[in-house]
Amino acid sequence: AKELMIRRLSATSAVLTALLLLNHCSPSPQAAATHLSLDYNRVTSHLSTLSDADRKTVEDTVLLMKRGDHRLALVRLSALNDRNPSNASLRLLGSYALLQLGNLAEALAEAQHAHDAADHTAYQCYVLARVADLNGNTNLAKREIEHVNGSGDEALKQALAPVAARVNAGVATN
């Protein structure tokens, strides 16, 4: 009887541990509400400064992200960022992965790093505007929306139109 009780407790403990791990690994409900479609072509088109090996790692990382394995993608991006700290494309990928995992604050920090990089594009402003909006940083979102609107990129301007309308109306995302 004692042995049976120990086995039951052990099984219950294993189930609880698995449930806790699944809860920890699942995106938060807020992450589900923070959908941002990343244009991988816009992000990965500026990787010419990376080594061949690093470009291959980025390709593999993008595949992981497309499959939804954002945690492993972040591990790979961390190593890539260590070797290429000012590469905006890597920072955008990191911001997206963090956003998908529900880490809004770190996603904003990575989007800001991408925005501040030397190879600045309107797409970086677009991502920063979206992530700033999701973080409730209205002033930053407005500033970046203005940058996108002034860039001449009509596709990005149109994609940001709902965010711009909400931000200008003072409606919170969350």
Side-chain angles (χ1 to χ4, degrees), residues 36 95 99 104 107-109 111 126-136:
L36 168 66
S95 178
L99 189 65
L104 299 179
L108 180 60
Y126 165 79
V127 172
L128 184 55
R130 290 291 311 270
V131 178
D133 175 52
L134 293 169
N135 273 276

Side-chain angles (χ1 to χ4, degrees), residues 132-151:
D133 175 52
L134 293 169
N135 273 276
N137 190 331
T138 305
N139 291 333
L140 181 57
K142 282 182 181 180
R143 184 190 79 194
E144 295 309 312
I145 289 166
E146 288 175 17
H147 291 171
V148 170
N149 289 345
S151 73

